[in-house]
Amino acid sequence: GVNERTFIAIKPDGVQRRLVGQIVQRFEKKGFKLVGMKLIQATEGLLKEHYTELRSKPFFSGLISYMSSGPVVAMVWQGLDVVKMARKMLGETNPADSLPGTIRGDYCVEVGRNVIHGSDSVESAQREISLWFRENELQCWEDTHSHWIYN
Ligand code: DAT
Ligand code: MG
């Protein structure tokens, strides 16, 4: 439904490369609603929990050091089918497989520096949102032009 939420994070390379504004603008222009956002230096503990499914992968320790190498912009976006649509906006995990027009297709070249995270299912979105945000950091605000986005 229209109240679906996803967790999006602009990774340390995205922050360093000053891509925050352009990435946020893509989600705003699409019509999604921003309900949470913070700049955070993630601890290794948080990141290991966030990526727990990947803990046996050979790239896991490199992934954790990359993700903890600087602040990330953690966000929660809300809207119809936002989990799936945000994944489409991101592109594929490997930027080389990502079409131009997607965030990874437009802004990066290597899988180990792929600029942005997005939840891969509604269940993982709920898990990741509760891992990164407290309930009182999420805002429920009335979107005064939602009838121009939803009929
Ligand atoms: P995604 O971020 O598209 O959900 P994932 O959950 O499979 O992809 O992996 C999480 C991150 O781990 C990914 O954004 C970049 C890194 N990663 C994945 N596969 C990798 C690989 N083969 N080599 C290096 N890093 C990889
Ligand atoms: Mg993933």
Side-chain angles (χ1 to χ4, degrees), residues 1 6 9 21 54 63 78-79 95 98 104 118 128 146:
T6 195
L54 300 173
L63 175 62
Q78 182 172 313
S98 303
R104 287 166 173 168
E128 292 167 4
S146 65

Side-chain angles (χ1 to χ4, degrees), residues 107-124:
Y107 296 139
C108 52
V109 294
E110 261 203 338
V111 68
R113 295 289 184 272
N114 65 358
V115 165
I116 188 164
H117 167 82
S119 308
D120 64 7
S121 68
V122 172
E123 296 69 39
S124 45

